[in-house]
Amino acid sequence: MIQRQLNRMRQLANHGPGRSQDVTDMLTEDLLQADQQVEPVKKVAHLVGKRLASCMQGPLGSDMEKRLKKLALMSLSLAMADCIKEIDFESSLRRTLEMGCFVETTLAQDLAEFEICMERDVLQPLNKLSEEELPAILKRRKQLQKLITDWNNTKSRLSQAQKNISGGQGVGSTTTPAKLESLKEEEEELRRRLEQSKDDYLSDLYHFSTKEEEYENYFIRLLELQAEYHKKSLAHLTDTLKEVRDTLKESVRSPVEKTPAEVYGVPLETHLSKFDCEIAVPISACVKMLLTEGMHEEGLFRLAAGASMLKKLKASLGAGTSDLAEFTSEPHAVAGALKSYLRELPEPLMTSELFDDWLKAASIKEPEKRAESYKEVCKQLPAENYNNLRYLIKFLAKLSEHQEVNKMTPSNIAIVLGPNLLWAKCNGEPSMLNMASASPIMVVSVVEGLINCAADVFPEDIDFGVPVPPTPVSTEQPPQKLDEPSQVQNVCKPEETSPLASPVSTSSERECENITASLEAVTIKPTPLKPPPPFEEGNSTNPDSEISPNTARKVKRPAPLRPNMPPPIQPRVSSNTDNLEESRSPKPTPRRTMGGSLKAPSIPPPHPPPPTKVANPKTEAVNTDSPGKALPPTPLPRNRIQSSDN
């Protein structure tokens, strides 16, 4: 009631003096609301119809056959039908594709029916509403508004003419009774047309307001068609899936197909139960192959293999294959696949719960106590983890026995494999984060110690199922203790070398040479000396050097490079008398050099044996080999010999 009074007051205000009439001035309250909804409804019908047409996959206005050819589902069904021709008749994949082809054809037919119904019941009415019915109503409103404007102008002119005639003929006035009569007739004609247009527009508004429920039904019908289409499609898919599953259950399949392979990234116990084995398939298969083909491979577990080869090997193991015969020439790829399996386990093989116990065991310094501590931690492992860890550690111990060839010491093995065998859980706490950052270093010590004491921690033998390469025997012999000069001369006889001989020698040869040179300095047989030749200009021989017929020119040897070692003892020959005879034995072979630099002996030379009988401790000693002949004075240290030569 209040709303009606407000509308009436608004109409009276609009009809005031100086105010021209509008369409809304002629409408009641109900028709005024309908007039305001015509434009929004037209916009909704236009936009929804446009978007709905773009969602349709088939061409608009086409029949079922033409529409099916344009549907993507029908193209998919035809592609499946073409592929079926190349697949074996007995293959389960062929039967699955046949059912898939059938259901895709059915879905395409359902979609075509849905689009035809949607176009007939929803899209065409919306297009008619937005392009014909509502535009006609808006056009009548526009015409009515124009007639109202013309009628108002004619009334203004007629009123002005009547004022001019009633007030008398003014100067320059052209208003005549005939003109006044013409204006009245024009005003009457416009009023008649206005009333007719008003009646037509009001009739359209009444018709529009009564069809609001019909417009709502267009959108309800759209939802019903979609629900019906999806329900029908779901029924077809459900029936086909059930039939496919029943067909696959009845078909005869191989053991590998019956049990899906669960290898990488699954818990150890799940993998072992699926394959009904004690040792994981990747561990046993890789270890067997490496035992036969990879023990002498340098850098095993450290050098990476090709990405494509590793991917192929992992796929083969992931399919449940335990025969790696085709990968015998790729030991690094096999080692990489084993590392990847250990790294992808959800729980480490040595378990995160025992992380602190492993670190505590590795920190023990006494070897026996450390081995016992390792045993105690191993007893806490689950049976599956213990068996696989024992199998793997025994193999790694075998691998380290060949470290002279493969360069994989227990430390090197622990560096590359340790982080894949044990890691700590990190829950986001600061202390746990710090431990996680330092854990790789600590884990290396744990695994290295476990490999070193593998024989004590796991004393039982492991049957790898393949021949195990024998442990290499070290060719190094322990150094012999030589006491007597005769024993030294029999065991370590220096060989005569020429200037063209190779400068490389072993440490044992250098030790024998040093020992022989030292003993020769003590047991000297005197031989007569000849006077040196006079020094002439141009002669490269040092006049201080002494030449004998049986020896070459004496060259001063440089001192060893190790200052903490005593220098070798050199004999000093007295030149005070011409009758003194000096004993000359074959010159010992000088120490060989490697790379142009002199190498010091690995062990110091032994002290010379003390003389058995001394005649005069100040001047001379008795020669036990030749009684009656005096030995030369006691040899001085090398630095004194060099100073006297200078």
Side-chain angles (χ1 to χ4, degrees), residues 21-71:
Q21 287 186 348
D22 194 2
V23 176
T24 58
D25 299 337
M26 302 179 180
L27 303 177
T28 61
E29 180 183 355
D30 297 337
L31 294 180
L32 182 62
Q33 185 177 4
D35 176 72
Q36 294 174 354
Q37 293 296 320
V38 174
E39 185 66 31
V41 171
K42 176 181 176 294
K43 184 178 180 180
V44 169
H46 173 71
L47 292 178
V48 172
K50 184 179 179 180
R51 300 304 179 191
L52 192 58
S54 64
C55 294
M56 300 181 67
Q57 300 184 21
L60 296 177
S62 58
D63 56 2
M64 175 69 76
E65 184 178 356
K66 292 182 179 180
R67 194 181 293 269
L68 281 175
K69 293 180 180 179
K70 299 295 182 180
L71 293 180

Side-chain angles (χ1 to χ4, degrees), residues 393-467:
I393 293 299
K394 296 288 278 186
F395 160 70
L396 296 179
K398 291 287 183 183
L399 180 65
S400 65
E401 292 176 357
H402 299 263
Q403 57 184 290
E404 294 183 359
V405 180
N406 55 36
K407 310 301 181 186
M408 295 304 293
T409 62
S411 176
N412 293 341
I413 297 174
I415 290 173
V416 296
L417 276 181
N420 301 318
L421 290 171
L422 179 63
W423 59 82
K425 285 186 177 180
C426 182
N427 298 325
E429 300 178 2
S431 59
M432 298 301 294
L433 291 174
N434 295 334
M435 180 178 294
S437 61
S439 61
I441 301 176
M442 298 184 289
V443 166
V444 169
S445 63
V446 172
V447 178
E448 181 183 0
L450 193 59
I451 295 174
N452 286 327
C453 59
D456 298 329
V457 179
F458 307 109
E460 58 274 9
D461 294 334
I462 297 294
D463 182 15
F464 293 103
V466 293

Side-chain angles (χ1 to χ4, degrees), residues 73 130 143 170 184 192 195 218 258 261 292 311 335 364 393 467 514-515 536 546 550 567 600 620 638:
L73 289 175
S130 63
Q143 292 175 355
K184 288 182 179 180
R192 184 185 62 81
E195 290 296 333
Y218 296 156
K258 286 182 180 179
T292 56
K311 182 179 179 181
I364 300 176
I393 293 299
N514 295 333
I515 296 172
E536 296 180 0
E546 300 172 354
N550 299 328
E620 60 182 6
R638 184 178 180 82

Side-chain angles (χ1 to χ4, degrees), residues 556-559 637-646:
K556 185 188 300 181
R557 292 182 296 177
R638 184 178 180 82
N639 54 0
R640 294 186 61 184
I641 296 175
Q642 293 178 356
S643 61
S644 62
D645 291 342
N646 295 333

Side-chain angles (χ1 to χ4, degrees), residues 20-26 141-155 190 194 197-198:
S20 60
Q21 287 186 348
D22 194 2
V23 176
T24 58
D25 299 337
M26 302 179 180
R141 187 182 191 281
K142 187 177 181 180
Q143 292 175 355
L144 179 60
Q145 181 64 45
K146 185 177 183 301
L147 289 174
I148 291 174
T149 303
D150 293 343
W151 180 61
N152 288 332
N153 292 335
T154 303
K155 284 198 308 179
L190 288 175
L194 177 62
S197 178
K198 175 183 176 182

Side-chain angles (χ1 to χ4, degrees), residues 369-612:
K369 293 183 178 180
R370 182 168 62 247
E372 290 296 329
S373 182
Y374 275 135
K375 285 185 180 180
E376 295 298 326
V377 180
C378 288
K379 291 179 181 178
Q380 304 178 39
L381 288 171
E384 300 85 359
N385 297 64
Y386 176 83
N387 294 332
N388 283 268
L389 180 64
R390 178 185 60 181
Y391 188 90
L392 183 62
I393 293 299
K394 296 288 278 186
F395 160 70
L396 296 179
K398 291 287 183 183
L399 180 65
S400 65
E401 292 176 357
H402 299 263
Q403 57 184 290
E404 294 183 359
V405 180
N406 55 36
K407 310 301 181 186
M408 295 304 293
T409 62
S411 176
N412 293 341
I413 297 174
I415 290 173
V416 296
L417 276 181
N420 301 318
L421 290 171
L422 179 63
W423 59 82
K425 285 186 177 180
C426 182
N427 298 325
E429 300 178 2
S431 59
M432 298 301 294
L433 291 174
N434 295 334
M435 180 178 294
S437 61
S439 61
I441 301 176
M442 298 184 289
V443 166
V444 169
S445 63
V446 172
V447 178
E448 181 183 0
L450 193 59
I451 295 174
N452 286 327
C453 59
D456 298 329
V457 179
F458 307 109
E460 58 274 9
D461 294 334
I462 297 294
D463 182 15
F464 293 103
V466 293
V468 180
T471 303
V473 181
S474 178
T475 56
E476 290 190 20
Q477 297 181 357
Q480 300 179 358
K481 185 176 180 181
L482 306 179
D483 297 333
E484 300 180 2
S486 59
Q487 186 180 1
V488 174
Q489 293 175 359
N490 292 334
V491 175
C492 306
K493 252 188 180 179
E495 298 179 358
E496 295 292 335
T497 59
S498 63
L500 299 178
S502 172
V504 180
S505 63
T506 62
S507 59
S508 60
E509 292 175 349
R510 292 197 299 268
E511 294 169 4
C512 293
E513 292 168 0
N514 295 333
I515 296 172
T516 306
S518 302
L519 293 177
E520 286 176 348
V522 179
T523 58
I524 300 177
K525 297 180 181 180
T527 54
L529 291 175
K530 290 188 178 182
F535 177 73
E536 296 180 0
E537 199 171 335
N539 189 4
S540 59
T541 306
N542 192 339
D544 294 335
S545 61
E546 300 172 354
I547 307 297
S548 66
N550 299 328
T551 60
R553 180 171 60 92
K554 184 177 181 180
V555 181
K556 185 188 300 181
R557 292 182 296 177
L561 297 180
R562 296 175 61 178
N564 57 348
M565 305 290 293
I569 301 175
Q570 299 290 342
R572 181 177 179 181
V573 181
S574 176
S575 59
N576 295 333
T577 176
D578 297 335
N579 297 329
L580 182 63
E581 294 182 351
E582 180 182 357
S583 173
R584 295 280 185 176
S585 62
K587 187 176 181 180
T589 305
R591 287 191 296 271
R592 301 175 184 176
T593 59
M594 296 181 64
S597 60
L598 191 65
K599 299 293 182 179
S602 57
I603 57 174
H607 295 290
T612 55

Side-chain angles (χ1 to χ4, degrees), residues 99 103 234-248:
M99 296 179 184
V103 74
L234 179 60
H236 290 312
L237 289 171
T238 304
D239 295 341
T240 306
L241 282 174
K242 182 179 179 181
E243 186 177 356
V244 169
R245 291 194 180 101
D246 293 341
T247 304
L248 292 179

